[in-house]
Every structure is written in C-alpha cells, then in structure tokens.
Amino acid sequence: MNQQSPLLLTDEQMRTFITNGFLILKTDFSDAFHEQLMAQLNLVYENEGNPGNNLLPRIRELQKVFDHPVITGALTSVLGEDYMLHAHRHGHYNASPVAGGWHKDSYWGYGRMRNHHPWWAMIMYFPQDTPVELGPTGVMPGTQNYETRTFAKDDNAEEAVASGKAGTFALIHYDIWHRSTPNVLGQHRYMLKFEFMRTKAPVSPSWNNQETAWQKPASISPSIIEHDVLLEETWNWMSGRIGSVAGTKPASAEQVNGLVQALEDVSEPVALNAAYDLAAAGSPGLEALLQAIRHESVKVSRLAGYGLSASGEAAVPGLIAALSDARPETVVHAVFALSELRGLAAEAVPALNGLLDGAAPVVRRAVVEALGTIGVPVDGVLAGLGRCLQDEDVQVRFMAGLSLSRIGAAAAPVVPQLVQSLDDENRYVRAHSLEALRYIGTEEAKEALIEDLLRSRWCWTTTKESTFYP
C-alpha cells in the first residue's frame, strides 16, 4: 500500500455522501501519468478487448490509483479501514451519442435485498479529461435508497455528472441510480469501475469526525426528497450506533395508524419515511412494523424490513418469529433486519441455520449474508457458513466467502472447506474464498492462499502477440 496517509473525508463531505449518495473527487496524478495510462488502455482494448476482471494485472499502473491518499481516504471514510477491493471490476468504454438507460448495478448478475447502509461502494475513475460532451457517468442524487425509479424522463435536469480533468472520480453508494451520458464528441472515453466492500461493521466514525449529531449538508440538490430519520439513522450507524432512532419520536395511536396507512402509499419515498418513522415511534411503531412484515403486499413487507432493521434489540423476538412465515419474501425481509442488528440478533443464529435445510434459495442467500454480519456466537455462525460453502446454489456459495471475510481470524476452522472452494467452477466463489483466506490470516490460510495464487499465476506481459518472448 502507498505510504501516504489516507486523506479522510470531513463531516460535511460525509453528510453530503449520505444524503446525495455520491461524491465527485479528484486525484492529483500528473498529465504524463494519465497519458501513459490512456496509451495502455487504448493498446489493450484495440488488441485484446475489454480485460474485465483482469484490469489490474493487465494495466498495472492502475494500482497506483487505488493507493492514492484521496481514494484510500474516501474509501476508509465510507467503508472502514479493512475495506475489500472486490474481484469484480470493469472498464467501461463509451463512444455512443445516445445516453445509456438508468439502472442500478446487480451483484454480479444476482439479486439481493439492497441496503440503505453503505456496506458497498463503487469508484468510477476517469483517466482522461472528461467534459460533459464526452459522456461521463451521470447519477441521480438521493436515489440510493429507492428500489424503484422515482424520477421521470424530464427530471434529468437534476442529474449530476462526473465530469472534470483526468483523475476525476465518482465515489458512489452501490445502489444509486446511474447511467452513461451521451458522448457527442465521439472520442475515446473510458470509465474504470471498481467495487469495494466493508468487511467490518462500524464501531466508531472512520472519517475525520468532529461533530456527533446529524445535520443536513449545506448544499442539497433540489430534487432530493426529505428523509430525516433515515439519514440520521445512517449517520448514527456509520458512527457505530445500532438502533439509534428506535423510540426517539414517540407517537400517538392515531399517528401510528397514519404511518401504517402511509406504508401502503404508491410513492416509495412517502412509504419509506413511514417505515423509519414507525421505527422511531416506540413500542406501538414496532408492533405495527412486525405486523407489516407479514403484509400481503411484498412491497410493504420489504419496507417494514427496513424499519425493523432500525428498531433495535426489541425487534429481535418478533423477527425470529417471522422466520417461520410460509412466504419466502417475508422471511428474506426478516433475515435482512436481523442481519442489520448484528450482534444484537445473536439468539437468531440457530433459527437462521435451520433455514439452510430446505428453504428457498432466495432465503438461503439472505441467511448466508446475515450470518456474516451477526458474527456471534462464532461456533454457530461457522457451522452455518461451512455448509453454505457447499450449497447447490452458486450465490449462496460465493456469499459464504464474503461472510467469512467478515468473521476474520475466528473463521480459521473452515480453512479446509475454503481450500476446497478454490476449485469451484464459479469465478466469484473462487475469488471470495481467496479473500476469506486473506482476512482469516492464519499461517494455514496464508499457505493455502499463496499456493493457489502461484498455481494460477498471471503474466501481465503475455499477449497473443507475445506469448513467451521477450
């Protein structure tokens, strides 16, 4: 790693990231550095095509980008010191005069319940000067918390674009709505996308924190809808406080009834506010959310899951009871809420492990992630995750490696199973198993990691034109 200390985000930058879902920042590499980087990109793309997940070994200069103190500081601030550079990365080339469609990225082709807490982030790096006319990435501010597209075609005026000099990059919440904008110049435009994951839940602020209480950032896009409780809860969560808004805004029976009705509103922002307001309403709100998670509408059930994830330890017994619901979606939403309550939900681990026997794949996918975030009791968590490494569903298998990365050294007993997973047919099962071995970090894990890396050694100068010499 670069020896320069990370340049951590300020409170105002963090407030802006939490509210808008992104920051536009810039490295200070020389023009010569980016000219060389562009020459390498052009050569690789013209002769070999997109290197995809092999961007770093094929274009080794890129590692300097991710060792830069502005980037390490931004990632440390949002994801903590032990963040992971995920195995998936992609070079996006845009020469089209037509804008791309608005979308949220999938998780390597698979689905999972999206999270308002920034467990994941992406960096989109621009190695060339990228004026608006060259088609930079556009993001819609404040949409990281919405499952549905909440803006219309004529709302694109509120779009923020990552335009600027070479070295500009967008740090974005993984789940924000974004797109490519039109490249009307028709010149080469690269955007190098890398994904990063938090491996440890926050226990204290990891940015340059000076102020404890949440407050709105000084500048907010006019398109952003107010989500006071949600944003405060996210700030508190990133500061290490779980369930911090639970019961902070007691509500009357009439007010709770109104919020329950608002959960069914056709407007997702309105319904989302109701879910978090119920979490803040105390015991009556909690009971309403526990009923709503079994609502006939899957959308209402999902929103209740978000509210329950912010409801603190008092929600755990009711969530464990919801694990026996016949509808898989209800169970997924309950598992998600338990996952976000982390160690407070330790008593749920036996019930979660029980779901690994015969539950639908979508449920098992939620369980494998929850075991990694709950983390205790370790024996019970490892018993479940060890089984997940052998699951017939590929998403369960590759999420198992990521969850074990979060357990760290305490996951040493499953090193033999991880070694077996290094021969899995799926690239992300293999990659995540390697990451788990790295984060476990015992001598046995390191030996297995080094042996596999040597066996699959990559020669970054070998191309079809230069197979072995010079």
Side-chain angles (χ1 to χ4, degrees):
M1 288 290 289
N2 191 293
Q3 296 303 306
Q4 297 184 69
S5 297
L7 186 60
L8 299 177
L9 298 179
T10 65
D11 283 336
E12 180 64 13
Q13 286 176 309
M14 185 59 71
R15 287 190 286 258
T16 301
F17 178 82
I18 290 172
T19 303
N20 292 347
F22 71 95
L23 290 171
I24 307 298
L25 302 169
K26 188 180 183 304
T27 59
D28 61 357
F29 290 108
S30 67
D31 290 342
F33 173 85
H34 283 112
E35 287 168 4
Q36 181 180 1
L37 188 55
M38 283 294 291
Q40 291 177 309
L41 282 165
N42 288 333
L43 183 66
V44 169
Y45 270 70
E46 289 168 6
N47 292 289
E48 305 166 31
N50 192 325
N53 288 347
N54 287 325
L55 259 173
L56 279 178
R58 192 65 194 91
I59 306 172
R60 289 170 65 86
E61 288 292 293
L62 266 177
Q63 186 58 54
K64 294 180 180 178
V65 170
F66 295 103
D67 290 341
H68 191 283
V70 171
I71 286 186
T72 60
L75 290 168
T76 298
S77 297
V78 171
L79 300 177
E81 292 183 355
D82 296 322
Y83 65 82
M84 178 192 296
L85 169 57
H86 190 264
H88 176 69
R89 60 287 304 256
H90 195 73
H92 288 259
Y93 178 81
N94 177 25
S96 173
V98 180
W102 287 103
H103 65 283
K104 290 174 178 268
D105 280 12
S106 72
Y107 288 80
W108 330 292
Y110 295 90
R112 58 190 288 276
M113 190 163 171
R114 297 184 183 273
N115 204 319
H116 300 154
H117 297 150
W119 282 97
W120 290 84
M122 285 193 283
I123 279 183
M124 298 177 167
Y125 191 84
F126 295 87
Q128 72 283 297
D129 291 352
T130 311
V132 173
E133 295 81 7
L134 196 61
T137 299
V139 297
M140 190 56 69
T143 58
Q144 68 275 12
N145 298 317
Y146 303 145
E147 184 76 14
T148 56
R149 178 173 163 174
T150 59
F151 50 96
K153 204 170 186 180
D154 57 0
D155 287 335
N156 290 346
E158 302 297 339
E159 178 179 12
V161 294
S163 63
K165 301 293 289 183
T168 297
F169 67 97
L171 170 70
I172 70 172
H173 187 295
Y174 191 92
D175 292 332
I176 202 166
W177 285 88
H178 61 281
R179 67 168 185 166
S180 61
T181 59
N183 182 350
V184 298
L185 299 180
Q187 301 169 3
H188 292 315
R189 191 283 269 162
Y190 294 101
M191 181 274 282
L192 309 177
K193 183 188 79 173
F194 287 75
E195 300 178 359
F196 300 84
M197 187 190 86
R198 176 183 283 277
T199 61
K200 294 288 185 290
V203 295
S204 63
S206 54
W207 64 96
N208 183 16
N209 178 236
Q210 304 296 321
E211 299 171 345
T212 302
W214 165 254
Q215 58 181 291
K216 297 176 184 178
S219 178
I220 301 176
S221 170
S223 66
I224 289 181
I225 300 169
E226 296 285 340
H227 291 294
D228 293 339
V229 178
L230 188 164
L231 299 180
E232 178 181 2
E233 196 276 338
T234 301
W235 168 273
N236 291 345
W237 181 87
M238 296 184 73
S239 301
R241 287 169 274 168
I242 309 173
S244 61
V245 300
T248 56
K249 297 182 180 180
S252 66
E254 183 179 358
Q255 289 171 323
V256 169
N257 288 336
L259 292 172
V260 169
Q261 293 179 23
L263 268 181
E264 302 180 22
D265 199 285
V266 294
S267 166
E268 184 177 8
V270 170
L272 190 58
N273 276 339
Y276 280 89
D277 286 343
L278 283 167
S283 296
L286 172 60
E287 291 304 314
L289 287 169
L290 288 171
Q291 291 182 35
I293 203 169
R294 300 174 187 266
H295 196 282
E296 61 182 1
S297 165
V298 172
K299 182 192 78 169
V300 172
S301 173
R302 176 176 57 81
L303 291 166
Y306 288 125
L308 289 164
S309 74
S311 294
E313 189 171 10
V316 172
L319 286 167
I320 293 175
L323 297 179
S324 61
D325 196 271
R327 186 175 63 177
E329 291 88 350
T330 298
V331 180
V332 167
H333 302 153
V335 172
F336 170 84
L338 289 165
S339 175
E340 288 305 292
L341 292 171
R342 292 149 46 186
L344 299 178
E347 65 183 280
V349 168
L352 291 171
N353 282 342
L355 292 172
L356 297 175
D357 291 318
V362 68
V363 171
R364 303 200 307 277
R365 294 168 191 167
V367 168
V368 68
E369 186 161 14
L371 290 173
T373 54
I374 293 172
V376 289
V378 173
D379 289 348
V381 167
L382 293 183
L385 292 179
R387 293 171 58 194
C388 291
L389 283 170
Q390 306 301 320
D391 197 277
E392 63 181 7
D393 181 79
V394 67
Q395 187 172 355
V396 174
R397 296 202 306 277
F398 71 56
M399 286 304 301
L402 293 181
S403 286
L404 287 164
S405 298
R406 289 174 171 155
I407 303 299
V414 300
V415 166
Q417 291 115 297
L418 285 167
V419 172
Q420 293 179 13
S421 294
L422 297 177
D423 292 323
D424 197 279
E425 62 184 14
N426 182 273
R427 72 187 73 186
Y428 295 118
V429 175
R430 300 192 301 271
H432 297 173
S433 296
L434 287 171
E435 290 290 357
L437 290 169
R438 180 166 74 97
Y439 280 91
I440 290 170
T442 61
E443 286 303 313
E444 182 186 9
K446 290 177 183 177
E447 288 178 11
L449 177 64
I450 292 171
E451 181 179 344
D452 188 82
L453 291 175
L454 287 173
R455 190 167 59 242
S456 57
R457 177 167 35 190
W458 170 275
C459 177
W460 56 274
T461 56
T462 298
T463 66
K464 62 182 181 181
E465 286 80 21
S466 173
T467 56
F468 64 92
Y469 182 84

